[in-house]
Amino acid sequence: MKKHIFVNLRWRYLVFVGIFFITFSCDEKLETQPQGVLDPLTVVSSAENIDNLIIGVYGMLNGYNPSTGSAWQTSVTNWVYGDITSDDAYKGSELTDQGPALEIEMFSHTESNSYFNAKWRALYEGVKRSNDALRALNNSEFLSADAKAERIAEVRFLRGHFYFDLKKIFDNVPYLDENSETFFVKNFGGEELTWAHIEADFQSGIDNLPTTQAQSGRPIKAAAYAYLGKALLYQSKFSEAKTAFDWVVNSNAFSLVSEYEAIYDPSKKAENTETVFVVHHSIGDGAAGDANGDYGSILSYIQGGPGGCCGFYVPTQDIVNAHKTQGGLPLLPSADGIATHNAAPVNSDYGIPSDAAFSPYTGEVDPRLDFNIGRRGIPFKDWGVHPGTDWARDPVAQGVFSQKKRFIRKDQDAFAGNGAWGEQTTAIDYHIIRYADVLLMLAEAEVEIGSLSRATELVNMVRERAKNSSYIQNEAGNANAANYSIELYPDFISQDIARRAVRFERRLELSFEGHRFFDLVRWGIAKARIDDYKAFESSFNPNGTGYIPYISNINFTVGKNEYFPIPAGQIDLSSQGGEATLQQNPGY
Amino acid sequence: MKKITYLFCTFCVLLCSSLFAQTSVSGTVIDQEGNPIPGATIIVSGTSQGTTTDFDGNFTLNVAGDASLDISSIGFQTQTIAVNNQSNLSIVLVDDISELDEVFVTGYSSQSRKSITGAVAIVDVGALENLPDQSVLNQLQGRVTGVQIGKSGGPGGVPQVRIRGYANVSTNSNPLYVIDGVQTNSAEVFNLINPSDIESIQILKDASSAAIYGSRANNGVVIVTTKKGKKGADKVSFNINLSSAYQTPRKEAFPDFITPQQYADYLWLQQTNAGNDSPSHLQYGTGSSPVLPNYLTPAGSSTADLSTYALVPGPDNNPIKLANKQGTDWIDEIFAPNFLNTINISAGKSTEDSNFYISSNLSSNRGILRYTSFDRYSLRANSDFKVGDRFTFGESLTVAYSERKGSAGNQEEGGPINQAHRIQPIVPVRDVEGNFAGTAGGGLGNGSNPVAALYRDRNDIARTIRALGNFYGIVHFSDDLNFKSSFGFDYSSTSSSDLIPQRLEDQEQQTTNRFTEWNGVFSETTFSNTLNYSTSFGDHTIKPLIGIEFNVRKNRTFFGYRSNFASESQDFLYLDAGPAGDQFNGGGGSQVFLFSYLSKIDYTYKDKFFASASARIDQSSRYLKENRTGVFPTVGLAWRLSEEQFVQDLDIFDNMRLRLAWGQSGNSETPTGYPTASSFGLNGTTNNYDIGGTSSSALTGYASSIDGNPNLKWETAETFDLALEFGLLNNDLNIEVGYYNKISRDLLVRLTRPATAGLAEDPFVNIGESSNKGVEFAINYNGELSDGLGIQAGINMSFNKTEVTGLNPDNADQFLPTFDFRGNTITRIQKGYPISYFYGYDVEGFYSNQAEVDALEQSNGVVGGFKYRDVDGDGKITGDDRTQIGSPHPDAIYGINLGFTYNQFALSLFADGTIGNEIYDFKKYFTDLHFFPGTLKTSVLDSWSPSNPNATVPLISNNVTGQELPSSFYVEDGSYLRMRNINLSYTLPNSVNSSLNIAAAKIYFQVDNAFVITNYSGLDPEINVLNDPNNPRSDQNLGIDRGAYPNPRSFILGVNISLH
């Protein structure tokens, strides 16, 4: 009897157990999808989504992406690669703060310097995003042929920009486009980026971009001509460059704004007719830490003064002196680049505390000096009179001036967001190309071709705007803050003088816009000019205190320092089958 | 899958139909204390007929009235009893003291020690009982062979547990934790488990023992079983433990820093060596020698007008601070003695048909780093109920709430411990008004006041509530066959509040504050069903087990912040109180599913030959269908040679056992739940763009964020394990020697691609192979020296060699670069080297003249600077000359214990250590080199000069740059011997107990971390990896000291009282 019950029970339980096993059908669960992200098919599933992909390409324009490194290493402004390497600026801050940047300034950097890897990665992310967008556009069925061609041209323009930066900074770099099948591409031996690649991207813009755009951040046809002209100028193809720049000028798409200081005024973006191609910075747009602002400049505010931190990117005595004028005209360098403007330097408060007496320079100066450079005794925008030493982080080691272009006015707090520390990112745009730049590049081309009067006319257009701008006023607001004097050039009497004048004008007009070092390199005078600047500043002794000691250690090597090294980390990662696909640049 | 399901059912049917019952005698088997003995074997003498007892020690058997029964159970002496026509027997088994017969959970079932065929370490939980730690994992270092603990540093920190070395390169090598059947890979769970609730800990070290847990067991399994009610007198047993630990920093290990005067002289040297004959400095004046100022703000002043004091510096105002000419010892300032107090109360009871254990724990740990603490309140309830003859139900449940407060400070560049190595000694802790002083004023570097940071972060808090438990039911179809269904869950919810405070006193100010609230919910459920069978015939016993398991892990997080709060008072810090300007929110989540079949069979022959085999089939949602299924087989054998005549004839060995095992296990634990899928992200910071030039709004942009690999498959580890055990002197002396070889193949590697691939996360690929080989050795003696004087002594030692044996077949030079330290990676993962070895230049000495510099063609070489070894011999120093400069892996880890008992007194000592590992002291970047304007150690006083060519640090000169590159200069020997515990206890004699009306009582005094013998110059040679050991990159950053939280020294007084 007992046995009987037990057997019955057993079978009942077995059914129960069986159900447990059989009801487990979990194939469906095991097919779970990624949560909270877009899959690649969704991204190309509508015209609107593809447009978002293109916005993503623009998203890399300002160079900032936390996974590459710090914003200042990769900033589109190129303040590290284009300005502190030149006679325009020191690294700033305390000597050892951002040591790798000091090495770059002194040209003692190695291929392991972290800045190069960060910059390289940020630029190639721009290239990668461009290629992703181009692939999506090529395969898209949502756009008309015309619309498609226009959007492709837009993305290729952006890719052209990223490649242009790679070319001028690193020279020998790998080229990948939307058809590339491998990431392992050589930077020598036929797979490298050539000027032809860059020209082709801008040519696509010329062929298919519209003459106007509803949104000012998108390039127009004339912008493509301007960038193509710049690419040609870098190759010394002067007549072809002239053709491109002439097209820009004749299109009347751009004009100089009347007030020099308005170029970088974030409240005047809408009426900035000088914008050829710009990086729009924005704050309060929902991005964490206002990182879509001018994040790359956050080290460049005044330590202990406006912005609060961190005292990097300090103007040199040499560029201050370069603003001296005689009869309203600059003191041009000799034909081989040796400055004449350093003979009687603008007096410096180096070594003088802010509470000790100091009289600012009373000689003639170009008004752009005080538009672009903060110096003791002159009102610094609406932040008050620049006190000199008190606003310098380490005045002994880094000098006493302040860069001014990346600053907002105090009353423009609405255009300032939040940064990582106390300093604030701003909505000040960065002009990759502005119209004055185009005019001066055209003037260069005209000089080389021999059209000196046209060159004079172009240079004078730029000078005239500076001349007619409202000058910086003294604290009381009743007179110019300094002895400003700027006049137009009479017709250039020789090609040599014209060349020196055009180049000098470029330095004055475009100071602190990240161009100077690259200009010196393409003019072939980097070594001569940097040695000249070093010689002057090493012996400069303004108040019996000597001057910034480390300048005597700047050492530019011809055949090497024209370009920066291919980052060691990238060479390491480029190995395929035991061979590095990337080779180091000459000299490193 | 269905096919397999049917097979299982068929198997069940076969098993079940072999059972037939007869007329019965019933009985109960209990131990000497009255506890029931489950699983005891009852055999009718002279036959193969028999049964085993159920959970409560009951059995029923059909026998003739004159039969005799042989009753045996592991751990007890076998007895024979005549039935004598009784229908109800009560049998008391006498303990067999042999440890060999202890029973342990080793994976869905229990085994005696002697029958275990794999490498299973059994932790002596008794020795851990009174140790002052909130997580039991922190105390495992040196306790068993093959287990290495990365101490967590700081209250509430999570230790890193590594079993038999490091095998993984892009995922972490976490073991699986199984707590009362609930699975998790998170060591954090031990923060919530009261160590005194733990009954036993087993560590499954090899694939043979661990593979039954399948794909998550590649790096071993830690099995924890919590206490149940003990059967005893007919009363509730009630225990109270109180302990208080006074924790102090080990000050003798703190480094010496230079004085402000020495610092100023150093600055002068830096300038004069660079050719500047008239050095100057904002604080120390101008001239041939520096002058210490009286005030730092205003910079370099001898006097200050106190009426101009202002917190926020202005043109004419200053947060005036006096120069601390004696020098502030910042390390001393941030560490202070504090208490760890613990109260445990538990009660338990076991009856015929039920069993319960409840406990509550209150534990409060104030860390030695100021303003850091971890408090825990936990409640545990374990119970079992028997319903009728055939059902058992039960649960184990713990619910705990914890609060972790303050800045973690551990291993964080810019964290307070790191900052204490960066801020200059002349800066005082507070300014003249008593506010925190900082580096504002000029020339004081860009450090920040670590005391201020700790104070301001004192209300940063992470609150976690976690419930962990398991409900189960067992159906006993017969005495030999049961079905168990178990539902385990681990649910935790953490909410944290974090203030980035305003910081105005520093050179680099933080002018805006930011307050973030973060919330995360994590859940893991494991539903498993197993069918257990056991049968004996003749000298053979087999125990098969089959089962299925379904595991689901989900998480969901969100956070939000606002900035510019008007007040930083804790009363004010709620998101609503912040202005709506700079605000942000985000969140995400993932889910992972795992479905498994498991099977195992144990075989025993005559108590001398043991075999086991298991197979597990796992299907993971991380993989696509084609690669989803992983099969993990194992086999193990054990042979008790001491049961063989030829060994017994030797008359030396009381036990001798040989075991060998082989097995495979798997791994799929990629940090992302979807490693096969590529995806695009929306990221306002990096993708959005203000294309219209509005200055205040941006359009949404997409960009590729993760590149997946659809072909990804299981990573597999194959382990071979061989061990020999000896017992001598009546098993008072036990020796165990083992060898293992673990090879991990198809490693889940996140290969870094060149930048041309963009910034999307690199895909995982199954390339790479790693090997861990080792020898483990343990010797233990437990005996009586003379009357009443007991001695217990032991030493264990584990040698392990870890090596990456393959990384990329297409590229012999492939390596994984790891964490970025100020622009350089310090460790590398590369074929032919240990995982995460230190990589950099090998410093041979210093360049003594220009000719030496020129001869080597080093681009930044300089006289007085480091001379690196020309590794490739090409006459140039380039990046190619970087090489292995150390390994974070010890050659050996060991533990030594010694204990004495004499009457009521017991003394125990325990020490542990490592041999042969190196530490990369990244802090030297700040404290030993002059490229960072921070504080400096006294080692800089021994700098290079022509007259001091054998210096410690390079020439101190502004002209010397580039010396900070990763090099052997940073690397030190990390070997240590730590006197971990000294414990003296006194147990009250029974006479006193009865007069106090208590059951038992013990008081003890203990010194923890009494001393450390090491050559390492940092705060503590036990370097934790990263703050978060669950970070998949933590294994890529081993042995790097960025400011690791040092272990405190503790003096502990405690009392345990048991009542009946």
Side-chain angles (χ1 to χ4, degrees), chain B residues 164-177:
Chain B
R164 288 183 168 176
Y166 291 74
N168 295 85
V169 295
S170 295
T171 59
N172 64 33
S173 300
N174 278 342
L176 175 71
Y177 303 98

Side-chain angles (χ1 to χ4, degrees), chain A residues 346-366:
Chain A
V346 173
N347 51 356
S348 162
D349 59 323
Y350 184 86
I352 300 180
S354 289
D355 53 6
F358 172 74
S359 307
Y361 186 68
T362 54
E364 284 181 41
V365 289
D366 189 305

